[in-house]
Amino acid sequence: MRMLHSFYIPLCLSFAGYSLAQTSLSLSPAPRASNAAVSLPLDPSFAGFGIEPSNLFSFTGHEDPNDFSIQLMQNLADYSGTAPHIRLGGNTQDYMIFDESYDAYDWKSNPDSTAQGTIAADSMLIGAGYFKSLDRFPGGTPITFGLNLAYQGSDYNETIVRMAQAAVEGMNNVKLVSFEIGNEPDLWLENNFRSAPWNGQVYTNQFLQRAEVLYNEVLKPAGLPSRFFEPPATASTIGTTFEIEMLVQDGMIEPVNGNDYVVCWNQHDYYYFIGVTQRPITLTDLLRFDSTNEQFAYWEQQIGIALDTGLPYALREMSSVGPIGMHGVSDTFAASLWTLNFFLYMATLNVSSVQMHMTDNSNASAWQPINMYGNDPFVRPQYYAHAAMAQIIGNGNGTTQIGELDVSGVSVDYNGVLRAYPVYAGGELQAMVLLNGKQANASQSNKDSFTFTVNFGKSNGNQDVFISYLTADGADSLSGTTFNGVEFSNDDGKPRTVDDSVTILRTSSSGSVVVKVRDSQAAVVNIGSLLGSNTVLTNGTTSNKKSSAGPTRTQGANTAILTSIATTTLAVASSVVEGGEVAQETGNAESAGETIDGRGRILWAMVVCLMAVMTGFVYLA
């Protein structure tokens, strides 16, 4: 009985209005998307990956398929309905030339390289085996393919057409959806791909010239549209001539001979980049979600400008730490929490797609695809953020929309580390994603929690809500991450349930429920069912049951029943306090001018609360 007392009395005090605002917060999301500031419906492939072109075979396999990587992609396709969008692009796309006589499942150095560049723009050769390997990803995987713009030999038109033709003909299982012409042209004076004068106007001219040739010679004969190209794929536009607004003025989205070529804006960024960011990085930095907003403030402007052109905006190269991560930071559970928050944050800005960049040697890749650093292939914690986002998106079957609620007004300990995102499906409030980024490492035996009181509205009164946790032993954990009680095998990439307990809470008659989220943890609170148990449409058509196993009430769920009983009875206590009218539940501390009569009402509410706990205990016994 002592355990129940220590757990429930604080809940009662928060409802009664005691000064616990520093570790609790009340949230009231709008019951309908039409009454809230929310994103457009998310594409099922929203949370994707970027793969460095030279590393493709590490992820998909050489002569033999990389079944581990393919399974990890398939998991996410099963959860969301479509495989994650892959951007096959990066520095090495501007080194690659297609050689139709070369058919190996590999790339090779070009023995006759003559092109310019610190690393020559024709230094790597690929053949048909490249596209056969790429085609191993799950059926329908959307692909943005990077073409070589850096090469400017006299045969540059023929060279880029050969590569594009091979891409169109070679992708039969996956789905080519766009071409990116050139990678990060804003850096080309530095890497000697171009000499002055080189600016946004010159780039625009060269981009559109290539696009016109590619449409006439490759896309049009294949029945593909002219709007198939993504500029500018820039590393940074701050202080350059490559800002979207400038490129528009340069004519980037103007028709050329009657054809429009731009289908989407494409930019790159990293939260932290080794050798560029002028400060050290810690897990505390990564988990202070406010710092992500601060770092991304300029890019928010670019997104707004892009959307004003009537075209979507994609963040095709992104990561917590670039260029190849940092051990102890980007490969920790903290990076998983950062990644989930980033996906949700980008969704609220109406970014159409986000690709987290991967190389086979990067500590920031969601998984290690081959033996590297003496380690066999394995799944990193970041992958679990992709799994969580995929299930959140799949829960709405093409109708999922994301909003964001204000989480200010908390103590210094929790300032900047909390996030709350309402999730809508079919226009109705379906779930809440709650993130607590306060750092708690695995070595801490006693970890604190933050209490969220979520009011789902009267229409969701007396409803079961199911909690799915993204969790690990601590922020610094390199392994042991789970989402929804599932871990992904380091042997074959398949999901397996390692914790079949399900936390089920019940809302009060007014629709409120109290959810505790441990420091360095995230929770998805889903109305009516466990996340991931619904039927998901595969590629928008075929029905696919992700999980036939229904949730079972366990000891954890029984504890949740006690919370439900206490929460419901608290609503009654609140009506007593307010003279028969149910008061709005808040997490704010009472004012300093609290009267003695008010304290008496608080004590009465505490007594009623204690009675609720005792009733629940008898019920469970």
Side-chain angles (χ1 to χ4, degrees):
M1 188 65 182
R2 186 184 312 153
M3 178 185 71
L4 296 175
H5 180 275
S6 63
F7 181 70
Y8 286 105
I9 289 299
L11 294 180
C12 296
L13 290 177
S14 66
F15 268 102
Y18 249 68
S19 183
L20 292 182
Q22 61 180 0
T23 56
S24 65
L25 190 66
S26 288
L27 303 169
S28 296
R32 294 179 180 82
S34 58
N35 298 324
V38 297
S39 69
L40 296 170
L42 298 183
D43 189 284
S45 67
F46 170 82
F49 301 102
I51 296 178
E52 186 66 37
S54 61
N55 284 191
L56 174 69
F57 295 105
S58 294
F59 286 92
T60 55
H62 293 262
E63 286 77 10
D64 296 322
N66 186 327
D67 293 329
F68 176 65
S69 284
I70 295 167
Q71 180 63 52
L72 290 172
M73 286 285 289
Q74 186 62 56
N75 297 337
L76 302 179
D78 292 342
Y79 291 158
S80 72
T82 301
H85 192 124
I86 296 292
R87 177 240 179 184
L88 189 58
N91 289 337
T92 55
Q93 80 185 59
D94 282 309
Y95 309 155
M96 285 186 169
I97 302 294
F98 183 78
D99 181 356
E100 58 272 9
S101 68
Y102 182 62
D103 197 34
Y105 283 88
D106 208 339
W107 62 266
K108 67 176 182 178
S109 296
N110 182 1
D112 301 314
S113 173
T114 59
Q116 83 293 349
T118 303
I119 298 177
D122 63 349
S123 58
M124 299 172 67
L125 299 178
I126 61 170
Y130 193 85
F131 297 100
K132 293 176 184 177
S133 184
L134 173 60
D135 221 30
R136 292 166 174 167
F137 275 139
T141 299
I143 304 292
T144 292
F145 188 84
L147 296 172
N148 185 340
L149 176 64
Y151 181 75
Q152 56 180 1
S154 60
D155 61 342
Y156 66 82
N157 278 337
E158 295 87 347
T159 299
I160 198 170
V161 164
R162 270 201 313 275
M163 180 70 83
Q165 190 69 52
V168 169
E169 294 177 353
M171 296 187 211
N172 300 297
N173 182 50
V174 299
K175 183 180 181 180
L176 176 65
V177 297
S178 59
F179 281 131
E180 177 187 283
I181 305 179
N183 174 71
E184 299 181 355
D186 51 313
L187 304 180
W188 282 11
L189 290 177
E190 298 175 27
N191 61 23
N192 295 310
F193 276 159
R194 293 291 188 271
S195 56
W198 176 250
N199 54 35
Q201 180 66 74
V202 179
Y203 161 73
T204 297
N205 295 342
Q206 294 189 10
F207 181 97
L208 291 175
Q209 186 275 328
R210 267 51 161 209
E212 184 174 30
V213 169
L214 291 169
Y215 171 62
N216 289 327
E217 298 195 25
V218 180
L219 299 180
K220 188 176 180 179
L224 294 170
S226 61
R227 282 191 169 182
F228 208 77
F229 303 95
E230 298 187 10
T234 42
S236 177
T237 62
I238 301 173
T240 74
T241 58
F242 288 84
E243 292 186 19
I244 290 174
E245 189 172 35
M246 295 177 181
L247 297 181
V248 171
Q249 294 171 358
D250 291 337
M252 180 62 80
I253 60 175
E254 294 297 318
V256 177
N257 294 322
N259 293 314
D260 295 310
Y261 291 115
V262 177
V263 69
C264 177
W265 295 106
N266 168 331
Q267 288 184 332
H268 307 163
D269 192 25
Y270 286 82
Y271 172 75
Y272 184 94
F273 205 88
I274 297 171
V276 175
T277 309
Q278 299 300 309
R279 57 175 174 79
I281 185 173
T282 66
L283 296 188
T284 303
D285 297 327
L286 206 60
L287 291 171
R288 191 175 73 84
F289 301 133
D290 275 6
S291 67
T292 298
N293 293 71
E294 293 160 4
Q295 188 269 349
F296 213 75
Y298 170 81
W299 300 100
E300 285 195 30
Q301 298 176 24
Q302 288 291 292
I303 294 166
I305 293 168
L307 296 180
D308 284 344
T309 68
L311 295 170
Y313 177 102
L315 191 61
R316 293 288 189 220
E317 185 173 324
M318 185 65 195
S319 186
S320 57
V321 180
I324 60 169
M326 180 185 294
H327 179 58
V329 178
S330 61
D331 55 356
T332 65
F333 179 62
S336 186
L337 292 173
W338 178 89
T339 300
L340 178 59
N341 175 68
F342 192 81
F343 283 145
L344 294 163
Y345 166 46
M346 288 297 100
T348 67
L349 298 178
N350 277 321
V351 172
S352 64
S353 186
V354 179
Q355 278 62 52
M356 293 295 174
H357 201 59
M358 299 201 294
T359 61
D360 55 17
N361 64 340
S362 175
N363 279 304
S365 297
W367 67 90
Q368 184 173 296
I370 59 173
N371 187 283
M372 184 70 64
Y373 306 124
N375 298 315
D376 289 334
F378 68 94
V379 182
R380 290 190 177 89
Q382 181 188 314
Y383 179 82
Y384 291 80
H386 287 262
M389 194 66 192
Q391 287 200 349
I392 291 167
I393 293 173
N395 205 31
N397 268 322
T399 68
T400 299
Q401 296 172 272
I402 309 294
E404 184 173 6
L405 298 181
D406 181 17
V407 291
S408 61
V410 295
S411 70
V412 173
D413 285 350
Y414 288 98
N415 185 39
V417 301
L418 301 176
R419 286 295 182 270
Y421 298 94
V423 181
Y424 296 83
E428 302 291 326
L429 182 62
Q430 178 59 49
M432 280 290 301
V433 185
L434 306 171
L435 294 99
N436 178 355
K438 184 181 177 184
Q439 186 174 347
N441 290 338
S443 59
Q444 295 175 230
S445 56
N446 296 314
K447 298 178 178 66
D448 293 330
S449 296
F450 190 88
T451 301
F452 295 91
T453 301
V454 182
N455 185 352
F456 284 103
K458 288 185 179 180
S459 61
N460 290 307
N462 300 315
Q463 288 272 345
D464 284 341
V465 295
F466 296 72
I467 318 297
S468 300
Y469 293 100
L470 176 61
T471 191
D473 287 343
D476 57 344
S477 294
L478 300 175
S479 60
T481 301
T482 62
F483 176 68
N484 221 353
V486 169
E487 72 173 11
F488 298 90
S489 170
N490 289 331
D491 296 323
D492 58 17
K494 293 182 178 180
R496 61 184 181 188
T497 299
V498 293
D499 181 3
D500 60 3
S501 64
V502 180
T503 300
I504 308 172
L505 307 179
R506 193 162 183 84
T507 64
S508 69
S509 59
S510 63
S512 288
V513 67
V514 177
V515 181
K516 283 195 169 185
V517 182
R518 195 203 74 195
D519 292 350
S520 296
Q521 191 181 63
V524 183
V525 187
N526 195 55
I527 301 171
S529 64
L530 183 66
L531 193 71
S533 63
N534 66 309
T535 298
V536 174
L537 298 179
T538 301
N539 292 323
T541 54
T542 308
S543 195
N544 174 41
K545 189 72 173 178
K546 289 189 297 191
S547 172
S548 59
T552 57
R553 290 181 183 266
T554 63
Q555 183 175 359
N558 288 334
T559 302
I561 294 172
L562 285 177
T563 306
S564 302
I565 294 171
T567 304
T568 303
T569 310
L570 281 168
V572 177
S574 180
S575 69
V576 172
V577 171
E578 297 299 325
E581 295 182 2
V582 177
Q584 183 179 1
E585 294 151 329
T586 71
N588 297 326
E590 290 192 8
S591 65
E594 179 189 49
T595 64
I596 295 177
D597 182 56
R599 290 195 179 97
R601 290 198 296 268
I602 291 169
L603 292 173
W604 170 244
M606 290 170 58
V607 170
V608 175
C609 228
L610 182 58
M611 291 172 62
V613 175
M614 295 176 65
T615 302
F617 182 79
V618 172
Y619 169 79
L620 291 176

